[in-house]
Amino acid sequence: MSFDGRTAVITGAAQGMGSRVAERLAELGAAVGLWDFNGAGASAQAEKLRASGHQAVAASCDVSDQGSVAAALRATIDRLGTPTLVVTAAGIARARPFLDVEAAEFERQLSVNLTGTFLTMQACANAMVDAKLPGSMVGISSVAGRGPRADLTAYAASKAGVISVVRSAAVALAEHAINVNAVCPGVVDTEMTRRTQQQRAAELGITESEALQRLAARIPLGRIQTTDDVSDVIIFLLSRQASYVTGQALNACGGLEFD
Ligand SMILES: NC(=O)c1ccc[n+]([C@@H]2O[C@H](COP(=O)([O-])OP(=O)(O)OC[C@H]3O[C@@H](n4cnc5c(N)ncnc54)[C@H](O)[C@@H]3O)[C@@H](O)[C@H]2O)c1
């Protein structure tokens, strides 16, 4: 598998799954644009990749802001060319009981996770269509987008929305030879999981490690997943081998979810 000569955009690339996917794509030959709200973190990741001989540039970007996305895209195209591989990993989560969720908190999760996915995919797809280039995009949804979550209402709604945006984009962009899919991870070993487990533990009056153990006990494969478990699937969905797959949401979750 090779992405030689291709340019990729990865949002949320300062850490977690986004940074791992960026690393894998760079290792497979792509020039990578790392976009993140945390501009310093994205720059540090890009610097690390350049030090290993890869082509990488960082952009400070709030994916929920259309102007910010447009500026990041312009900067990426100027330095690396038109992106034809896109992964939307930027996301936020806040564990809070349904009865206590505030409107602003609900809307922020929708605007980063859902609107941010739409804005990134729309802007990058327009660039591909203008350049008459085929491409592949993957949105990171979640098993939380597949069903109810009593203490992750906004997050679950945003991730269900990501699957819907991906399906609409897949149908709309098929005539331009751009395939679009979603991946639904379960419980991944990242900062986001640590933060949500801290919030859950505080609500339940248990320790963070007890909260994590309860979660892991529900996973049929019996372990929390690594960022590699997810990035392998994303790389496949971006590859030539998956070019006939579009509009799908693939669970990569150790058997937590089946629909
Ligand atoms: N951790 C899990 O268990 C899990 C499970 C399923 C899905 N996901 C999803 O996978 C994706 C990556 O999650 P992660 O676990 O690596 O999280 P993470 O918190 O480690 O990383 C998320 C990154 O997104 C960036 N970000 C946040 N808001 C942004 C914004 N407005 N604009 C641009 N960047 C922004 C953050 O700065 C951070 O670098 C997210 O969409 C998350 O919802 C995570």
Side-chain angles (χ1 to χ4, degrees):
M1 203 177 279
S2 163
F3 296 103
D4 272 348
R6 306 277 301 273
T7 295
V9 156
I10 306 97
T11 69
Q15 63 181 47
M17 276 179 258
S19 87
R20 186 62 187 132
V21 171
E23 214 166 59
R24 294 289 313 282
L25 282 168
E27 285 162 6
L28 291 167
V32 291
L34 297 91
W35 299 5
D36 205 289
F37 194 62
N38 171 6
S43 292
Q45 289 301 325
E47 181 56 49
K48 208 173 88 183
L49 292 176
R50 285 195 297 271
S52 307
H54 304 301
Q55 255 189 299
V57 299
S60 177
C61 172
D62 178 354
V63 294
S64 68
D65 179 302
Q66 192 165 26
S68 182
V69 168
L73 181 59
R74 267 194 308 276
T76 306
I77 291 175
D78 283 352
R79 296 180 62 189
L80 301 177
T82 304
T84 60
L85 303 164
V86 177
V87 179
T88 59
I92 53 173
R94 172 95 177 85
R96 183 84 81 101
F98 177 87
L99 294 175
D100 301 335
V101 179
E102 285 164 15
E105 200 180 301
F106 186 92
E107 281 165 9
R108 184 65 188 149
Q109 289 177 70
L110 267 282
S111 73
V112 174
N113 300 353
L114 177 56
T115 309
T117 299
F118 164 70
L119 291 175
T120 305
M121 287 189 169
Q122 188 199 44
C124 292
N126 266 312
M128 287 181 230
V129 171
D130 287 349
K132 296 191 170 44
L133 290 170
S136 299
M137 304 199 282
V138 175
I140 305 192
S141 175
S142 167
V143 289
R146 298 294 208 176
R149 291 293 184 275
D151 65 353
L152 287 170
T153 309
Y155 183 75
S158 72
K159 294 299 184 178
V162 166
I163 295 173
S164 177
V165 164
V166 158
R167 288 179 173 157
S168 297
V171 173
L173 299 172
E175 64 175 298
H176 300 289
I178 300 169
N179 66 326
V180 192
N181 292 289
V183 64
C184 299
V187 185
V188 191
D189 183 17
T190 67
E191 273 306 307
M192 178 180 283
T193 297
R194 281 183 281 283
R195 272 194 312 274
T196 47
Q197 289 323 299
Q198 275 164 8
Q199 290 155 3
R200 213 167 248 164
E203 293 288 349
L204 298 173
I206 58 177
T207 66
E208 193 187 321
S209 98
E210 278 171 330
L212 204 57
Q213 273 165 23
R214 282 188 196 183
L215 210 54
R218 291 179 34 232
I219 303 170
L221 281 183
R223 64 173 174 86
I224 303 285
Q225 66 197 109
T226 65
T227 54
D228 275 341
D229 291 325
V230 186
S231 59
D232 282 345
V233 175
I234 293 174
I235 296 291
F236 165 68
L237 289 173
L238 292 173
S239 72
R240 186 184 50 77
Q241 286 81 348
S243 57
Y244 203 67
V245 179
T246 199
Q248 305 304 307
L250 183 51
N251 295 332
C253 61
L256 259 179
E257 194 67 54
F258 296 93
D259 295 319

